[in-house]
Amino acid sequence: MKLPYQNALPKAGFDAVIALTALALALGIRFWADLFSAVETPQALKGYYQDMYLLHAPILVAAVLAVFGVIGIYTRKRFYARRFRALAVAQGVTLAFGILVAVVYLIGKGDNLAPRVAYLLAYGFTLAGTLGTRLGKHYIESHYTVEPTGRPASRSIRKVLLVGGAGYIGSQVARDLLAKGYQVRMLD
């Protein structure tokens, strides 16, 4: 039995990993910048940025997954299914980071906000990661043919009648069908 959103689970997982990695990279870059210019000890800075990551990570993942789900990125609704995919992803990432900043501001009344550069870096990395994976997938699907190997167990068709199998095209089709495990009978 196939679940309705079974194909969306791997996509959501990858999006969550991309958002978490982007946040970690952004906070790490800001940590190293502060390490050379701050008066605080490295241990205090490390604790501060770890707390920032632990506070922001679950909120960011929830915001990204919720916004992408509502926009229809996982279910391929009309707006996402056409040529506006990159725009839908960019809107989703922008809205998710807006939600992140608003929720963190409301939770801590402004005390728990990370440095602005970290938000901008995390936004840029998340946008680049989500758009990059989708563009990479589109490139691979458009330039390469992805076929399953062997015959799937659920296929009920095992015998094929190939009309015109003695010609050049028919013989090539017959060879391909035999390689995929079909029983081929030709009629010419």
Side-chain angles (χ1 to χ4, degrees), residues 77-167:
K77 289 189 179 173
R78 185 181 312 166
F79 183 68
Y80 183 75
R82 302 199 184 204
R83 63 178 185 251
F84 300 112
R85 288 182 181 166
L87 181 61
V89 171
Q91 285 178 342
V93 171
T94 303
L95 186 57
F97 271 87
I99 291 171
L100 169 71
V101 172
V103 168
V104 170
Y105 183 78
L106 291 174
I107 287 175
K109 298 188 177 163
D111 297 336
N112 293 331
L113 287 175
R116 287 175 290 200
V117 171
Y119 287 125
L120 290 174
L121 286 173
Y123 171 76
F125 291 148
T126 304
L127 191 60
T130 52
L131 284 175
T133 55
R134 283 160 174 81
L135 290 174
K137 179 186 173 199
H138 176 70
Y139 176 80
I140 288 171
E141 286 177 346
S142 66
H143 286 78
Y144 300 100
T145 302
V146 180
E147 295 178 3
T149 57
R151 186 179 74 222
S154 65
R155 185 183 303 155
S156 62
I157 300 173
R158 297 173 192 234
K159 296 180 182 180
V160 176
L161 174 64
L162 184 59
V163 179

Side-chain angles (χ1 to χ4, degrees), residues 12-40:
F14 283 122
D15 288 337
V17 168
I18 289 169
L20 290 174
T21 305
L23 182 63
L25 278 172
L27 289 173
I29 289 171
R30 182 61 189 191
F31 167 74
W32 284 103
D34 282 351
L35 191 63
F36 294 112
S37 64
V39 258
E40 295 185 32

Side-chain angles (χ1 to χ4, degrees), residues 2 7 44 50 53 56 102 112 128 160 169-170 176 182:
K2 189 172 180 178
N7 293 337
Q50 282 178 344
Y53 182 79
H56 289 72
N112 293 331
V160 176
I169 296 174
D176 291 343
Y182 289 99

